[in-house]
C-alpha cells in the first residue's frame, strides 16, 4: 500500500514535470524553423478591431497558394496585449516574423525591426507611394521600419435623426465649415430641440483631444522635437475650450470623468455627435435605430485632423527576415493593399488607392480623406515621436480630466506636461 | 528537532525514516514547482530589474538605487499609496463586520440556511472583471439605476463621474464580492467554538451581547487575524475591480497603488521603476503583516 502510493507520487510528479517541460519545449520546436524540406513558417502577430482579420486570412491564403514553400500563421491577440506579447517574444529571443502594429507601438519596437528599404525599392522610392503625412511614423533614422497598411483620420460622426429633429443642418461642403463656437451652438440647439441627452462625446484619449489642439494652431512639441510647445497660448486655449464644453454640458462628464464608453453612448441614439475616427464607420455600420453620418470637423485658426494608421513590421533575428520582407512587399502592392482596405472598410495609405470602391459609406470615407488632406504637419510630427509620447500621454490624459474636474488650471496642467516632455527629450539625447 | 532525533537513532532506522520522508516532499512538489516558476523567479527578476533602467525591450542599464531614490521623491506615488490605505481602512472593517454578522446569522438554525449561504458565497466565484462590469451596468451612465430614474421622469445621475459616488461604488462592489469568502471562514470559526461556553454564560445570566464580546470574539481571534490580514493584503493589491468598474477614475479618484505601478511599467514603459515600486509595496505589506502577527501574538489565545 505504501509502496503503491509512493509509486503514484513519483508518477504524478514526473507527469507534472514533463508537462511543464513540454510546455517550454514546444515553443522551441515551433520557432526553430528547420528549413530543410519543410515549409518556411512565418508567425504573424495580429489584432483585429473589426473584420480585417478575416480579410487578412484570405490574403494569406492567396499568398500561400502562389508561394507553396511559405506557411504563414496568424497569431491573434487583443490589441491591449500586443505590446506585452511582442516584448515577451522579443526579449525571450523568439521574435515573430511579422506583426501588425499601430502608431503607439511603432517607436518602441523600431530598434528591433528589419530595415525594409532595400526590399521595397529604397526609402524615397517606397515612401513616395504613400501619403506624406504618415511618413514620420514608419521612417525612423532614414530606415523603413514598417510598411503602412491603412491610414486613419480623426473626425466627427453625427446623429442625423437628432439634427433633423432639431432642424440643424450640418455643413455641406468644405466652404461652409463651422467654427468651434458655431459647432458648440449647433450642439446646444440639438440638445434643446430634440430628444438628445448628450451633445458631443469625445474619445477618452489625449490623441483625440489633440485634434482640437492642432485646429487651434497648437502643437505638443516644436517641429524638430527639441522643446515642448504644448503650454503656449494655443495649447491653453485648446484645454480651456475643451473644459468650457464640459462645463456647459455639451460634452458629458461621464466619458472623461466616468470612463463611460463613448461608442455605447452614441449607439443609444441620444447623443448628437461623436469625435472619434474613421475606424468607427465599420463599427457603426450595423446601426438601424437612427440615421447617422460623417460631417466636417470645425475650424479653429485652421483645419486639421490627426493622421494615424496600422503598419506591418518584420523583426530582426526571426531567422526568416527575407521571407517576411517578401510578404510585406506583397502586402504593400497596390492590388493587395486596396483589397485589404476596401474589404475591411479602411482607408488606404497609398496615394494611388485613395478612391476605393467601398460597399458601405463611400461618401463618408471621402470626407475623412478630405480631413486628412487638410491636416497640419505638426500632428504627425508630434505623434510619431514615440520615444517621447508614452512618457507623458497618460499624464496628459489625467491632466485633462483634472482640469475638467477643477483640480488644476489649464496653464498649470500644461506647464507640468511641458516639463515632462522636456525631461523625456533630455533623456533621449 | 527532527534531525537531532534522527541522528540519535541507530543507522537502519535512520535509513528507513529518510525513505519515509520523501513522500511529504513529493506532495508539495507540484505546488512548489508552480510557486517557484511563477512567484519566486519573477520576484527575484523584479528585484534585479528594480536596480536597472529597463523598458522591457532594449538592454538594461544598471543605475543602482536611482529608482528607489526617485520613488521617495515621487509625490504621486505616496499620494496614491495614501489613497490605497484610506480605501483599506474603510473596506477591511466593512468586510470584517459584514462577513462576521452574516456568519453569525447563518449559523443559527434557520430555514433555507444552505440557500442563503450559497447566495452570499456565489459572488466570490465571479472574477473581479465581471464584478466590475456588473456594477458598472448598475451605476453607470447607461446603467439600471439611471434607467429607472429616467423611467420615472427624473434626470439621470452620473455616479461614476463623481469622486465620492465612484469611491462608494467601488467599496460596495468590493464588499459584495469578497464578503462570502470570509463569511465561510467565520462560519467555520464559529462552529468550532464549543456550545458549553454559551450554555454556561446563559446559566450565569449573561446577555447575548455580553456572550458575543466575551466568548465569541476572543475565541475567534485566530480567525480574525486571518481575515484582517487577508483583506488588508487584498485591499492593497486591488486593481482588476477598479479597472473594470471605474478605470481608476474619475480623475484618478479610484486609482490605487497597483494600477499606478502598472501604468508606470506598461504605459510609461519604465519597468525598472515599476519593479522598484513593487518591491517597496512588498516591503510595506510585509512589515504590516509581521506587525499584525506580532501584535496579536500569531492569533493565539
Amino acid at each position: 500500500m505504501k509502496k503503491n502510493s509512493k509509486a503514484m507520487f513519483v508518477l504524478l510528479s514526473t507527469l507534472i514535470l514533463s508537462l511543464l517541460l513540454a510546455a517550454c519545449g514546444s515553443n522551441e520546436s515551433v520557432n526553430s524553423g528547420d528549413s530543410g524540406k519543410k515549409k518556411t513558417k512565418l508567425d504573424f502577430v495580429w489584432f483585429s478591431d473589426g473584420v480585417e482579420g478575416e480579410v487578412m486570412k484570405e490574403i494569406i491564403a492567396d499568398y500561400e497558394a502562389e508561394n507553396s514553400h511559405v506557411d504563414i500563421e496568424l497569431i491573434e491577440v487583443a490589441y491591449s496585449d500586443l505590446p506585452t506579447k511582442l516584448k515577451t517574444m522579443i526579449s525571450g529571443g523568439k521574435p515573430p516574423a511579422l506583426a501588425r502594429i499601430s502608431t503607439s507601438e511603432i517607436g518602441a519596437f523600431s530598434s528591433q525591426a528589419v530595415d525594409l528599404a532595400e526590399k521595397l525599392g529604397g526609402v524615397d522610392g517606397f515612401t513616395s507611394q504613400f501619403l506624406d503625412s504618415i511618413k514620420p511614423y514608419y521612417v525612423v533614422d532614414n530606415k523603413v521600419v514598417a510598411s503602412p497598411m491603412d491610414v486613419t483620420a480623426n473626425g466627427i460622426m453625427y446623429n442625423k435623426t437628432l439634427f433633423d429633429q432639431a432642424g440643424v443642418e450640418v455643413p455641406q461642403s468644405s466652404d461652409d465649415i463651422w467654427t468651434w463656437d458655431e459647432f458648440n451652438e449647433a450642439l446646444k440647439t440639438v440638445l434643446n430641440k430634440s430628444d438628445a441627452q448628450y451633445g458631443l462625446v469625445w474619445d477618452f484619449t489625449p490623441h483625440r483631444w489633440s485634434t482640437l489642439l492642432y485646429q487651434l494652431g497648437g502643437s505638443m512639441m516644436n517641429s524638430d522635437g527639441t522643446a515642448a510647445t504644448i503650454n503656449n497660448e494655443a495649447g491653453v486655449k485648446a484645454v480651456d475650450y475643451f473644459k468650457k464644453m464640459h462645463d456647459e454640458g455639451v460634452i458629458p462628464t461621464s466619458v472623461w470623468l466616468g470612463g463611460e464608453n463613448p461608442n455605447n453612448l452614441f449607439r443609444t441614439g441620444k447623443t448628437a455627435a461623436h469625435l472619434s475616427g474613421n475606424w468607427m464607420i465599420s463599427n457603426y455600420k450595423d446601426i438601424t435605430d437612427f440615421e447617422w453620418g460623417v460631417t466636417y470637423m470645425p475650424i479653429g485658426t485652421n483645419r486639421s485632423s490627426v493622421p494615424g494608421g496600422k503598419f506591418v513590421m518584420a523583426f530582426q533575428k526571426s531567422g526568416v527576415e527575407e521571407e517576411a520582407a517578401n510578404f510585406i512587399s506583397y502586402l504593400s502592392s497596390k492590388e493587395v493593399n486596396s483589397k485589404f482596405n476596401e474589404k475591411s472598410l479602411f482607408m488606404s495609405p497609398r496615394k494611388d488607392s485613395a478612391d476605393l470602391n467601398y460597399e458601405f459609406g463611400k461618401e463618408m470615407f471621402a470626407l475623412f480623406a478630405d480631413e486628412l488632406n487638410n491636416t497640419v504637419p505638426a500632428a504627425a510630427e508630434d505623434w510619431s515621436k514615440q520615444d517621447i509620447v508614452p512618457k507623458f500621454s497618460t499624464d496628459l490624459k489625467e491632466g485633462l480630466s483634472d482640469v475638467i474636474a477643477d483640480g488644476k488650471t489649464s496653464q498649470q496642467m500644461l506647464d507640468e506636461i511641458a516639463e515632462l516632455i522636456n525631461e523625456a527629450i533630455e533623456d533621449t539625447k | 528537532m527532527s534531525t537531532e532525533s534522527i541522528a540519535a537513532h541507530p543507522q537502519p532506522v535512520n535509513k528507513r525514516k529518510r525513505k519515509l520522508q520523501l513522500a511529504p516532499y513529493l506532495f508539495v512538489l507540484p505546488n512548489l514547482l508552480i510557486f517557484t516558476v511563477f512567484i519566486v523567479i519573477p520576484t527575484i527578476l523584479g528585484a534585479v530589474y528594480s536596480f536597472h533602467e529597463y523598458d522591457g525591450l532594449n538592454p538594461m542599464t544598471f543605475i543602482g538605487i536611482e529608482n528607489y531614490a526617485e520613488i521617495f521623491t515621487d509625490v504621486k506615488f505616496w499620494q496614491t499609496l495614501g489613497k490605497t490605505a484610506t480605501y483599506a481602512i474603510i473596506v477591511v472593517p466593512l468586510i470584517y463586520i459584514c462577513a462576521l454578522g452574516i456568519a453569525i446569522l447563518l449559523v443559527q438554525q434557520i430555514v433555507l440556511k444552505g440557500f442563503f449561504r450559497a447566495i452570499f458565497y456565489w459572488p466570490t466565484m465571479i472574477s473581479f472583471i465581471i464584478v466590475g462590469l456588473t456594477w458598472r451596468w448598475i451605476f453607470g451612465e447607461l446603467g439600471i439605476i439611471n434607467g429607472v430614474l429616467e423611467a420615472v421622469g427624473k434626470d439621470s445621475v452620473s455616479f461614476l463621474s463623481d469622486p465620492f459616488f465612484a469611491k462608494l461604488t467601488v467599496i460596495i462592489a468590493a464588499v459584495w464580492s469578497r464578503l462570502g469568502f470570509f463569511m465561510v471562514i467565520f462560519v467555520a470559526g464559529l462552529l468550532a467554538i464549543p456550545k458549553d461556553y454559551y450554555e454556561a454564560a446563559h446559566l450565569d445570566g449573561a446577555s447575548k451581547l455580553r456572550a458575543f464580546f466575551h466568548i465569541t470574539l476572543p475565541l475567534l481571534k485566530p480567525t480574525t487575524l486571518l481575515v484582517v490580514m487577508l483583506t488588508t493584503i487584498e485591499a492593497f493589491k486591488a486593481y482588476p475591480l477598479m479597472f473594470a468598474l471605474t478605470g481608476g477614475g474619475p480623475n484618478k479618484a479610484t486609482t490605487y497603488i497597483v494600477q499606478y505601478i502598472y501604468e508606470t511599467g506598461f504605459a510609461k514603459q519604465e519597468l525598472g521603476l515599476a519593479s522598484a515600486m513593487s518591491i517597496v509595496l512588498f516591503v510595506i505589506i510585509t512589515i504590516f503583516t509581521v506587525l499584525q502577527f506580532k501584535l496579536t501574538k500569531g492569533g493565539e489565545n
Side-chain angles (χ1 to χ4, degrees):
Chain A
M1 158 94 195
K2 246 180 210 163
K3 246 188 182 168
N4 268 347
S5 54
K6 206 187 280 174
M8 221 169 75
F9 295 140
V10 175
L11 201 79
L12 252 173
S13 47
T14 324
L15 196 79
I16 286 165
L17 249 175
S18 56
L19 272 177
L20 267 174
L21 288 177
C24 302
S26 68
N27 248 348
E28 278 179 20
S29 65
V30 165
N31 283 293
S32 61
D34 34 2
S35 48
K37 310 144 224 164
K38 281 187 192 166
K39 289 182 172 185
T40 312
K41 197 166 166 227
L42 305 184
D43 286 334
F44 191 175
V45 177
W46 185 267
F47 61 91
S48 291
D49 294 321
V51 296
E52 67 270 31
E54 296 309 311
V55 180
M56 183 48 72
K57 278 178 194 159
E58 282 174 35
I59 291 174
I60 288 174
D62 290 348
Y63 185 76
E64 285 174 345
E66 285 172 35
N67 301 273
S68 53
H69 64 287
V70 180
D71 177 19
I72 300 171
E73 189 174 342
L74 220 51
I75 303 174
E76 298 204 52
V77 297
Y79 173 63
S80 52
D81 296 334
L82 179 77
T84 324
K85 175 86 183 165
L86 286 178
K87 272 184 190 171
T88 318
M89 292 176 91
I90 292 168
S91 55
K94 316 268 183 224
L98 302 149
R100 184 186 198 207
I101 204 160
S102 103
T103 48
S104 329
E105 293 84 37
I106 208 165
F109 291 100
S110 61
S111 60
Q112 312 290 325
V114 173
D115 180 8
L116 300 163
E118 205 183 315
K119 196 73 174 177
L120 301 173
V123 177
D124 294 333
F126 181 67
T127 55
S128 65
Q129 303 169 40
F130 298 91
L131 295 176
D132 300 323
S133 57
I134 54 170
K135 187 175 162 184
Y137 286 117
Y138 67 94
V139 178
V140 177
D141 298 333
N142 211 33
K143 285 183 194 142
V144 176
V145 296
S147 166
M149 285 295 289
D150 73 272
V151 65
T152 60
N154 294 359
I156 289 178
M157 263 79 39
Y158 73 105
N159 184 322
K160 199 162 179 298
T161 308
L162 292 176
F163 271 72
D164 285 350
Q165 208 181 0
V168 177
E169 194 177 69
V170 299
Q172 295 303 310
S173 77
S174 52
D175 300 329
D176 56 7
I177 292 181
W178 278 322
T179 63
W180 270 97
D181 283 335
E182 285 166 350
F183 181 49
N184 197 22
E185 285 311 310
L187 288 169
K188 282 184 196 163
T189 313
V190 176
L191 272 172
N192 289 330
K193 293 191 179 168
S194 75
D195 299 333
Q197 204 176 328
Y198 313 101
L200 173 68
V201 288
W202 198 310
D203 283 358
F204 185 25
T205 80
H207 178 267
R208 241 69 86 218
W209 166 79
S210 73
T211 325
L212 179 59
L213 176 72
Y214 301 120
Q215 285 162 355
L216 295 182
S219 62
M220 302 196 295
M221 288 164 260
N222 57 6
S223 58
D224 50 5
T226 50
T229 52
I230 197 166
N231 56 342
N232 64 18
E233 204 184 322
V236 175
K237 239 176 163 175
V239 181
D240 281 344
Y241 206 87
F242 192 56
K243 177 174 167 54
K244 177 186 152 192
M245 289 182 84
H246 275 95
D247 288 347
E248 294 178 353
V250 176
I251 303 179
T253 53
S254 50
V255 177
W256 278 72
L257 294 182
E260 194 62 69
N261 185 341
N263 307 358
N264 293 344
L265 288 174
F266 189 76
R267 279 175 173 276
T268 59
K270 291 178 185 167
T271 304
H274 180 191
L275 195 147
S276 184
N278 65 295
W279 55 90
M280 291 314 294
I281 295 179
S282 62
N283 187 308
Y284 287 159
K285 203 173 91 174
D286 61 347
I287 292 179
T288 51
D289 316 353
F290 58 89
E291 275 187 78
W292 62 277
V294 175
T295 187
Y296 294 95
M297 286 195 286
I299 184 168
T301 55
N302 48 266
R303 290 181 66 192
S304 189
S305 179
V306 183
K310 310 286 187 301
F311 303 78
V312 175
M313 185 179 265
F315 292 93
Q316 296 167 15
K317 296 179 192 150
S318 68
V320 287
E321 290 95 330
E322 180 77 21
E323 289 83 353
N326 284 337
F327 182 59
I328 290 185
S329 167
Y330 177 79
L331 286 179
S332 50
S333 67
K334 177 173 160 57
E335 190 198 341
V336 178
N337 184 271
S338 302
K339 177 184 172 180
F340 174 74
N341 286 304
E342 201 171 279
K343 288 202 167 180
S344 310
L345 289 183
F346 287 155
M347 286 156 63
S348 172
R350 291 189 63 92
K351 286 176 183 163
D352 55 7
S353 313
D355 201 18
L356 293 175
N357 200 14
Y358 300 104
E359 58 179 40
F360 179 86
K362 205 166 176 218
E363 69 298 337
M364 301 188 197
F365 283 102
L367 221 145
F368 272 107
D370 186 68
E371 296 284 9
L372 217 47
N373 291 333
N374 288 285
T375 291
V376 294
E381 281 166 7
D382 276 348
W383 287 99
S384 63
K385 296 195 178 78
Q386 283 296 328
D387 46 347
I388 296 168
V389 170
K391 306 279 184 212
F392 70 87
S393 57
T394 312
D395 297 86
L396 176 55
K397 178 173 157 174
E398 287 167 356
L400 287 164
S401 303
D402 214 358
V403 172
I404 294 167
D406 293 316
K408 279 177 193 149
T409 68
S410 306
Q411 186 72 57
Q412 253 174 351
M413 187 274 284
L414 289 175
D415 285 346
E416 285 173 23
I417 300 297
E419 203 173 307
L420 284 176
I421 294 176
N422 288 330
E423 270 172 32
I425 292 173
E426 210 43 51
D427 281 348
T428 55
K429 274 179 188 162
Chain B
M1 195 188 87
S2 61
T3 43
E4 272 172 36
S5 58
I6 287 166
H9 282 293
Q11 197 64 14
V13 184
N14 187 2
K15 233 182 186 176
R16 205 174 144 248
K17 268 225 157 164
R18 267 220 185 129
K19 260 190 183 170
L20 277 178
Q21 274 176 341
L22 194 64
Y25 291 106
L26 286 177
F27 260 121
V28 297
L29 183 68
N31 202 11
L32 188 72
L33 261 176
I34 294 169
F35 182 71
T36 312
V37 172
F38 293 107
I39 309 280
V40 178
I41 296 175
T43 309
I44 295 170
L45 279 179
V48 174
Y49 290 165
S50 72
F51 296 103
H52 291 80
E53 191 174 328
Y54 185 43
D55 63 357
L57 197 62
N58 295 307
M60 299 190 261
T61 38
F62 182 77
I63 52 167
I65 57 160
E66 223 172 90
N67 283 330
Y68 290 95
E70 196 174 332
I71 293 170
F72 283 103
T73 54
D74 182 357
V75 181
K76 270 192 193 168
F77 177 84
W78 296 104
Q79 273 174 354
T80 314
L81 196 66
K83 259 192 296 182
T84 316
T86 319
Y87 166 76
I89 288 169
I90 296 170
V91 155
V92 173
L94 259 181
I95 291 185
Y96 179 83
I97 292 167
C98 294
L100 179 58
I102 290 167
I104 288 173
L105 290 178
L106 291 181
V107 290
Q108 319 285 333
Q109 292 305 321
I110 56 165
V111 195
L112 293 178
K113 191 165 69 178
F115 174 71
F116 285 119
R117 279 188 195 175
I119 281 191
F120 284 108
Y121 189 72
W122 270 332
T124 65
M125 296 189 281
I126 306 171
S127 91
F128 275 127
I129 298 289
I130 308 294
V131 171
L133 285 177
T134 310
W135 285 92
R136 190 169 187 97
W137 288 332
I138 295 173
F139 284 104
E141 189 74 33
L142 305 170
I144 295 168
I145 294 184
N146 277 328
V148 171
L149 282 176
E150 267 173 49
V152 298
K154 294 260 162 57
D155 278 343
S156 62
V157 184
S158 299
F159 290 106
L160 300 180
S161 309
D162 182 284
F164 174 76
F165 281 116
K167 282 180 191 167
L168 189 67
T169 311
V170 164
I171 289 168
I172 292 173
V175 172
W176 176 79
S177 68
R178 296 307 295 153
L179 183 101
F181 180 76
F182 296 107
M183 173 202 79
V184 169
I185 296 181
F186 275 126
V187 166
L190 286 171
L191 291 177
I193 300 174
K195 289 239 159 40
D196 324 7
Y197 294 167
Y198 292 105
E199 278 163 20
H202 184 68
L203 286 178
D204 288 345
S207 69
K208 285 220 160 158
L209 208 64
R210 219 185 142 104
F212 173 76
F213 280 109
H214 287 92
I215 300 171
T216 315
L217 265 193
L219 287 176
L220 273 182
K221 211 173 148 195
T223 320
T224 299
L225 174 73
L226 179 74
V227 170
V228 171
M229 235 155 67
L230 287 179
T231 41
T232 310
I233 293 172
E234 246 176 43
F236 270 90
K237 290 184 359 187
Y239 173 45
L241 176 68
M242 293 76 193
F243 172 78
L245 181 50
T246 61
N251 190 26
K252 290 183 289 171
T254 57
T255 297
Y256 298 129
I257 195 69
V258 173
Q259 181 173 357
Y260 186 73
I261 295 174
Y262 174 84
E263 280 169 0
T264 307
F266 293 96
K268 296 192 177 181
Q269 297 170 6
E270 301 201 28
L271 279 183
L273 183 60
S275 299
M277 288 176 178
S278 306
I279 300 283
V280 171
L281 179 63
F282 174 72
V283 170
I284 290 173
I285 293 183
T286 310
I287 292 175
F288 204 76
T289 311
V290 171
L291 213 69
Q292 222 167 21
F293 209 77
K294 281 264 155 69
L295 281 178
T296 52
K297 298 184 188 94
E300 289 188 19
N301 290 306

